[in-house]
């Protein structure tokens, strides 16, 4: 199956998905989100696929977020809908009955961090920078970050990361439990594959039930709806217009709080 902004490959049961928009730091535009959904449909449908490894093209970024140029044009209604549909796609990753590992090879910001959070396991290279900088754009995370980050690292540190918008480096991410392992960039894919191979050697039905059970321990359906509604509300603020304009014009934003 061919995709516009993904490279995929299936070898020995491991399906590798590479987000491939290197010139835009692998930012998630609508096409890329559609591709990711299609790729995961393939994961669900193809019995040859035993596990998934997802990474970004190049050695600078995993994914630097949702495409800011595209989202600068959304409003309350479309913003909420975009958030809901992205949440649905990432839920498909989280609930995938086969193990999914993110190999974070650089910036994992905003929607990129949220993509990694939706995967079952995260491994990072030493240059990784992971964060949710949406408040710098007059926004909040909209693809599940406000739910999955506190689940993973606890409320206090999640509040700090989401409210400051500051990313953490790979070592700090590891100490927070945000990533399981940190390795040199040249070793990243090998490390992720080694873990995935150990998992896919186990009983597939049992592994899929582990995924169901661990996910069931963290259900927060209302939280996701609150996130999508609040994301939509941000999209009708003047701060959002200013924040995204400032990024696209490569200047610092001046927020008014309205
Ligand atoms: N969207 C669009 N373009 C991007 C993005 C992005 N998120 N990130 C980088 N790019 C582009 C840059 O504009 C630049 O393009 P060009 O060469 O045409 O000017 C190119 O990628 C390379 O980037 P830089 O020149 O900025 O490279 P640097 O090494 O200087 O910096 C960074 C790399 C630190 C990653 C920097 O690009 C950056 O800060 N990017 C933005 C990060 C960010 O704010 N991400 C959050 C986005 S909002 C979000 O993810 C919301 C998710 C929820 C959405 C819910 C519904 C829509």
């Amino acid at each position: 199956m061919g995709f516009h902004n993904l490279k995929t490959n299936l070898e020995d049961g491991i399906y590798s998905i590479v987000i491939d928009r290197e010139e835009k730091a692998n930012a998630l535009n609508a096409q890329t989100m559609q591709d990711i959904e299609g790729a995961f449909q393939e994961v669900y449908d193809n019995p040859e696929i035993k596990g998934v490894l997802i990474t970004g093209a190049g050695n600078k970024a995993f994914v630097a977020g949702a495409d800011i140029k595209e989202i600068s044009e959304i409003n309350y209604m479309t913003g909420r809908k975009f958030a809901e549909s992205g949440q649905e796609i990432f839920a498909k990753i989280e609930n995938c009955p086969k193990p999914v590992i993110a190999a974070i090879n650089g910036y994992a910001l905003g929607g990129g961090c949220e993509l990694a959070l939706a995967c079952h396991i995260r491994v990072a290279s030493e240059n990784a920078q992971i964060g949710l900088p949406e408040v710098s754009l007059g926004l909040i995370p909209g693809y599940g970050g406000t739910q999955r980050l506190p689940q993973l690292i606890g409320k206090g540190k999640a509040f700090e990361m989401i409210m400051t918008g500051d990313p953490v480096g790979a070592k700090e991410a590891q100490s927070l439990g945000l990533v399981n392992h940190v390795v040199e960039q040249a070793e990243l894919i090998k490390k992720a594959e080694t873990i995935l191979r150990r998992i896919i050697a186990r009983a597939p039905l049992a592994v899929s039930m582990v995924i169901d059970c661990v996910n069931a321990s963290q259900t927060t359906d209302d939280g996701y709806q609150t996130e999508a509604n609040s994301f939509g509300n941000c999209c009708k603020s003047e701060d959002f217009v200013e924040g995204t304009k400032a990024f696209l014009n490569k200047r610092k934003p001046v927020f008014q709080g309205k």
Side-chain angles (χ1 to χ4, degrees), residues 23-25 27 60 64-68 71 82-83 107 109-111 114 133-134 137 142-143 231 247 250:
E23 73 293 350
K24 292 289 175 194
K60 182 168 140 181
D67 189 304
I68 297 171
I71 62 174
F82 270 122
Y107 293 109
L109 301 175
E114 294 175 295
E134 283 87 345
L137 297 165
Y143 290 158
F231 187 89
F247 176 81
K250 301 185 190 291

Side-chain angles (χ1 to χ4, degrees), residues 49-128:
I49 298 176
K50 310 293 183 201
V52 183
L53 193 162
I54 183 160
T55 192
N59 54 18
K60 182 168 140 181
F62 172 71
V63 167
D67 189 304
I68 297 171
K69 189 165 189 328
E70 263 188 21
I71 62 174
S72 68
E73 281 150 28
I74 60 186
N75 57 32
Y76 170 67
M77 280 313 285
T78 52
R80 204 188 55 186
K81 279 208 162 14
F82 270 122
E84 284 169 347
S85 83
Q87 285 180 357
E88 223 171 88
I89 295 169
F90 286 5
K92 200 164 171 171
I93 299 176
E94 182 171 55
N95 297 318
C96 180
K98 302 169 188 180
V100 183
I101 299 193
I104 304 173
N105 57 320
Y107 293 109
L109 301 175
C113 173
E114 294 175 295
L115 172 62
L117 288 169
C119 298
H120 303 131
I121 292 174
R122 286 149 294 283
V123 180
S125 56
E126 287 166 339
N127 65 330

Side-chain angles (χ1 to χ4, degrees), residues 166-179:
D166 292 335
V168 293
K171 281 284 169 211
E172 189 177 355
Q174 186 179 23
S175 73
L176 292 170
L178 178 47
V179 303

